[in-house]
């Protein structure tokens, strides 16, 4: 099943199960979705439940949060999360903080979903990763699926969740196919929020990743295996809450850690994971934590520069080897 | 130039986004004829011909589109991010609508500096192929909510555009902002571009 179909079927099933669920966003209806994620849903559920909006994120996000205040369950699509910046006040101040500020009265059962992070050749304003922007805010849940199983299970969980969830998809993963079991295809399938998945077990070094980088980490693990290094690959699935238990248990087993993300390095997901491991498992580390992240520059357009600005499989392999063999610290990131 | 860019894009030698200006040349040409390089122009992502009008060269344009160092943004910006500050061209913006308040800022700077120049902020009703009726609540842009005076202009006629811009500049210097809606007839049904300053 492709990730695209996984998301489409998840939306379809949740809309069928709960009449309070509705979709809103640019091109989600008549155009069948900018990336065809919402294909067929307007025909099936009608214009009262699948709403095409004008190009005004601030407007329709506010409307969605207001509807959620009243008990409806909106799924708001951002054509990419770059455009969510136009609406971030509503995501943070109107949605994320309301439950706390109202001492539990105002639950906001809303999902914000769309492609996040780097695509291909779209330049600086269209390639930003927002994982840490949202994950730093208490009151939000932030999910990042990798496989079709992740996409189905996590989107269903997000829609059923009574709190605001930021659901970070990846444009380049939409067309990828993953095997799915009968259990995943069942309409009651749901994954728990806040639980990471160990994609591949290993004993020499832990590699954490999310979204597209999980695929890269798995490829790196294959290459490392040829050099006798057994890597354990953790698919985070949930950026907030972060599954600190799974990560720390893994590091206590392998004693070495490489964190991988596509976004900018400063204050990134890797920085948070590193802090968590130092706080909870310092005595178990045999090497400094390695962080692989995107380059600390706005995403360049030229193809050769863009390739240099995002992590490649070789960067993950090099970092894992550094974590395994080195005896002196290295200052520069890959 | 734009037809050549289209071929290059289809051959995947231009990547990412490539929004073409062909069919709308009267707008850039007419506007340039009415103003000077001291006036500022800012637009959205359909900026190839605007850049050319402001003094850009074909070499700079094609180099940029193909991600070369010789491009006007050294290959780092791409199609949507052409700039020529010394000729008063401030880009080249990817986020729909962003250039409108920025254009107001440019106009503010002109007023603040008392330099007898104006800012033209251009935007289209289109976004990304979104049909006009889905993109905005009220497509009578030149009426601008009955708050800012407006002109409706045939955007296919370069001379009409020139006169409109000349009039608009004089009006802006004397009395304040003015909205011009330039109608275009483009091959795709249901699409038209409106420019405002």
């Amino acid at each position: 099943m492709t990730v695209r179909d996984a998301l489409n079927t998840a939306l379809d099933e949740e809309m069928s199960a709960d009449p309070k669920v509705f979709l809103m966003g640019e091109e989600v209806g008549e155009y069948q979705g900018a990336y065809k994620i919402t294909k067929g849903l307007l025909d099936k559920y009608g214009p009262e439940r699948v709403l095409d909006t004008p190009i005004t994120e601030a407007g329709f996000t506010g409307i969605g949060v207001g509807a959620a205040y009243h008990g409806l369950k909106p799924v708001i699509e951002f054509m990419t999360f770059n455009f969510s910046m136009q609406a971030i006040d509503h995501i943070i101040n109107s949605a994320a903080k309301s439950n706390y500020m109202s001492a539990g009265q105002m639950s906001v059962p809303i999902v914000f979903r769309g492609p996040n992070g780097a695509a291909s050749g779209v330049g600086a304003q269209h390639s930003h990763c927002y994982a840490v922007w949202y994950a730093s805010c208490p009151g939000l849940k932030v999910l990042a699926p990798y496989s079709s199983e992740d996409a189905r299970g996590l989107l269903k969980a997000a829609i059923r969740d009574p709190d605001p969830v930021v659901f970070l998809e990846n444009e380049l993963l939409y067309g990828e196919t993953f095997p799915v079991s009968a259990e995943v295809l069942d309409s009651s399938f749901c994954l728990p929020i806040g639980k990471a998945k160990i994609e591949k077990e290993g004993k020499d070094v832990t590699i954490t990743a999310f979204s597209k980088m999980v695929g890269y980490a798995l490829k790196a693990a294959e290459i490392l295996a040829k050099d006798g290094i057994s890597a354990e690959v953790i698919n985070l699935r949930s950026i907030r809450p972060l599954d600190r238990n799974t990560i720390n248990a893994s590091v206590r087993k392998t004693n070495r850690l490489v964190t991988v993300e596509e976004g900018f390095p400063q204050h990134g997901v890797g920085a948070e994971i590193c802090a968590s491991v130092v706080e909870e498992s310092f005595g178990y580390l045999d090497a400094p934590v390695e962080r692989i992240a995107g380059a600390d520059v706005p995403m360049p357009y030229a193809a050769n520069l863009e390739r240099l600005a995002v992590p490649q499989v070789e960067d993950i392999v090099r970092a894992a080897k550094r974590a395994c063999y080195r005896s002196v610290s290295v200052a520069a990131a890959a | 130039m734009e037809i050549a860019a289209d071929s290059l894009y289809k051959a995947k030698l231009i990547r990412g986004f490539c929004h073409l200006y062909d069919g709308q040349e009267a707008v850039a040409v007419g506007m340039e004829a009415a103003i000077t390089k001291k006036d500022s122009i800012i637009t959205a992502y359909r900026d190839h011909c605007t850049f050319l009008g402001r003094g850009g060269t074909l070499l700079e344009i094609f180099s940029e589109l193909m991600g070369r160092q010789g491009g006007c943004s050294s290959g780092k910006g791409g199609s949507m991010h052409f700039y020529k500050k010394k000729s008063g061209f401030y880009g080249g913006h990817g986020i729909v609508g962003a250039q409108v308040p920025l254009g107001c800022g440019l106009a503010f700077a002109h007023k603040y500096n008392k330099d007898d120049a104006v800012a033209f902020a251009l935007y289209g009703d289109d976004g990304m192929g979104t049909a006009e009726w889905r993109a905005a609540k009220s497509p009578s842009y030149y009426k601008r909510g009955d708050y800012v005076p407006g002109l409706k202009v045939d955007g296919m006629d370069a001379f009409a555009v020139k006169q409109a811009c000349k009039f608009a500049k004089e009006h802006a210097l004397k009395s304040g902002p003015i909205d011009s809606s330039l109608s275009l007839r483009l091959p795709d049904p249901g699409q038209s571009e409106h420019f405002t300053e």
Side-chain angles (χ1 to χ4, degrees):
Chain A
M1 176 177 248
T2 62
V3 171
R4 179 179 285 112
D5 286 341
L7 295 167
N8 184 273
T9 54
L11 288 169
D12 193 350
E13 287 161 22
E14 294 305 301
M15 287 183 80
S16 174
D18 187 345
K20 295 203 290 296
V21 178
F22 71 94
L23 307 184
M24 192 152 67
E26 294 158 11
E27 306 295 50
V28 295
E30 283 192 19
Y31 193 75
Q32 310 297 321
Y35 301 96
K36 305 293 179 257
I37 307 299
T38 52
K39 185 168 177 204
L41 297 176
L42 174 63
D43 281 340
K44 191 165 176 186
Y45 296 102
E48 313 243 297
R49 294 185 69 193
V50 179
L51 293 103
D52 279 317
T53 65
I55 308 175
T56 168
E57 280 76 8
F60 66 74
T61 305
I63 289 173
V65 176
Y69 282 172
H70 205 272
L72 291 181
K73 297 179 131 196
V75 179
I76 304 293
E77 176 175 306
F78 292 118
M79 204 178 276
T80 76
F81 265 91
N82 299 284
F83 315 133
S84 75
M85 287 203 287
Q86 303 274 320
I88 201 166
D89 176 66
H90 282 305
I91 300 173
I92 305 294
N93 282 326
S94 306
K97 299 177 183 172
S98 293
N99 195 38
Y100 184 88
M101 292 192 296
S102 67
Q105 274 189 77
M106 306 272 287
S107 130
V108 190
I110 193 169
V111 176
F112 303 103
R113 52 159 291 272
N116 174 62
S120 189
V122 293
Q125 294 176 342
H126 290 76
S127 308
H128 206 129
C129 174
Y130 290 88
V132 291
W133 284 53
Y134 293 117
S136 73
C137 183
L140 282 181
K141 292 176 182 153
V142 181
L143 302 177
Y146 161 62
S147 61
S148 299
E149 174 184 330
D150 290 355
R152 262 182 70 78
L154 293 176
L155 185 54
K156 282 164 162 293
I159 293 173
R160 297 177 197 180
D161 197 283
D163 295 323
V165 181
V166 171
F167 193 81
L168 304 172
E169 300 161 6
N170 185 292
E171 187 196 323
L172 300 176
L173 283 178
Y174 284 149
E176 279 209 26
T177 308
F178 294 86
V180 285
S181 66
E183 188 204 345
V184 172
L185 290 171
D186 188 81
S187 64
S188 65
F189 178 66
C190 201
L191 283 172
I193 292 181
K195 201 89 192 65
K197 179 183 181 195
I198 298 181
E199 295 281 349
K200 180 193 165 295
E201 285 192 19
K203 57 181 184 51
D204 296 327
V205 60
T206 300
I207 305 179
T208 64
F210 63 95
S211 189
K212 186 151 141 277
M213 291 290 117
V214 176
Y216 281 36
L218 288 168
K219 290 203 182 86
E222 275 176 34
I223 296 173
L224 288 164
K226 297 199 180 84
D227 274 322
I229 300 177
S230 152
E232 177 150 292
V233 177
I234 299 183
N235 171 5
L236 294 175
R237 283 183 165 174
S238 184
I239 314 296
R240 183 178 184 109
L242 197 57
D243 190 351
R244 297 167 203 275
N245 289 341
T246 300
I247 298 168
N248 277 283
S250 175
V251 173
R252 286 174 185 218
K253 182 173 72 166
T254 65
N255 311 120
R256 295 162 203 277
L257 174 62
V258 176
T259 69
V260 185
E261 66 203 285
E262 240 185 344
F264 300 129
Q266 189 166 337
H267 305 298
V269 175
E272 176 61 33
I273 292 177
C274 178
S276 172
V277 164
V278 163
E279 282 163 8
E280 295 181 42
S281 311
F282 181 68
Y284 293 81
L285 283 169
D286 284 346
V289 174
E290 291 278 344
R291 274 191 297 179
I292 294 297
D296 196 39
V297 288
M299 183 66 74
Y301 163 70
N304 58 335
L305 295 180
E306 190 180 38
R307 207 175 310 117
L308 289 171
V310 290
Q312 304 298 333
V313 175
E314 310 86 73
D315 299 319
I316 304 173
V317 170
R318 269 204 306 276
K321 285 186 174 171
R322 278 200 304 268
C324 288
Y325 293 130
R326 70 179 200 206
S327 55
V328 294
S329 59
V330 176
Chain B
M1 173 180 88
E2 295 296 73
I3 307 296
D6 188 37
S7 305
L8 288 171
Y9 187 75
K10 292 188 165 106
K12 297 197 195 295
L13 289 164
I14 296 178
R15 305 162 63 233
F17 298 113
C18 188
H19 303 91
L20 299 175
Y21 207 99
D22 56 300
Q24 309 172 28
E25 295 85 349
V27 175
V29 167
M31 186 173 285
E32 284 300 337
I35 64 178
T36 72
K37 297 292 190 289
K38 288 220 159 38
D39 298 303
S40 306
I41 300 183
I42 191 168
T43 188
Y45 40 78
R46 201 174 299 277
D47 57 359
H48 301 172
C49 292
T50 316
F51 175 75
L52 200 59
R54 292 265 92 181
T57 67
L58 285 177
L59 186 61
E60 283 178 304
I61 290 175
F62 282 109
S63 297
E64 186 59 36
L65 291 173
M66 297 173 77
R68 303 303 170 108
Q69 228 171 357
C72 51
S73 300
S74 302
K76 296 182 181 183
S79 167
M80 299 189 290
H81 305 296
F82 290 4
Y83 305 85
K84 206 164 190 54
K85 189 168 168 187
K86 60 178 170 29
S87 315
F89 178 50
Y90 290 85
H93 294 272
I95 305 298
V96 172
Q99 75 278 19
V100 177
L102 295 173
C104 292
L106 291 169
F108 182 86
H110 285 303
K111 186 171 174 176
Y112 193 92
N113 292 331
K114 299 187 175 49
D115 59 14
D116 272 342
V118 296
F120 284 73
L122 286 76
Y123 65 92
D125 63 339
D126 170 72
M128 248 160 298
T130 307
E132 186 190 75
W133 73 267
R134 287 204 297 272
K137 174 90 177 90
S138 163
S140 302
Y141 300 103
Y142 67 95
K143 289 189 186 159
R144 219 357 119 232
D146 295 320
Y147 189 72
V148 175
L151 277 181
K152 194 159 162 43
V153 185
D154 179 3
M156 300 303 281
D157 179 347
F159 294 109
V161 172
K162 177 185 171 184
Q163 290 307 326
C165 291
K166 187 158 163 291
F167 177 85
K169 177 172 172 175
E170 283 161 15
H171 185 278
L173 283 172
K174 220 175 2 140
S175 330
I178 180 168
D179 202 296
S180 297
S181 183
L182 281 66
S183 306
L184 300 167
R185 288 176 304 281
L186 296 169
D188 283 337
Q191 251 198 38
S192 65
E193 297 263 338
H194 299 266
F195 293 88
T196 218
E197 72 258 12

